[in-house]
Amino acid sequence: MRNVFILSIAQALAMSAMPIVVLLGGILGAELAPAPVLTTLPVAIMVVGVAVSTLPAAFLMRRIGRKPGFIGAA
């Protein structure tokens, strides 16, 4: 029962990371960007980077296995 509670808390924290990054990325981008058009550029680059890296990660995990792939990524 204790493990389920710990895993639930860990999942809740992990799932809250992306909304926080998007929120803070927009706020900080508005403060730091020289032009308003560039406000969300860091968040956009992060999303595109994740999208571009999914296929190579999938191919790597198919080749070496999921467990070693996840351990290598961590």
Side-chain angles (χ1 to χ4, degrees):
M1 188 68 177
R2 182 174 183 262
N3 287 344
V4 172
F5 179 72
I6 291 172
L7 288 173
S8 298
I9 297 296
Q11 175 133 11
L13 289 173
M15 296 303 288
S16 68
M18 189 60 189
I20 290 172
V21 166
V22 170
L23 174 71
L24 293 178
I27 292 171
L28 292 174
E31 293 293 321
L32 296 175
V37 177
L38 302 174
T39 299
T40 57
L41 183 64
V43 176
I45 290 173
M46 183 179 65
V47 170
V48 169
V50 169
V52 168
S53 67
T54 55
L55 282 177
F59 292 140
L60 180 69
M61 285 192 189
R62 184 188 313 166
R63 174 173 268 183
I64 67 171
R66 292 178 194 257
K67 187 174 181 178
F70 279 119
I71 290 172

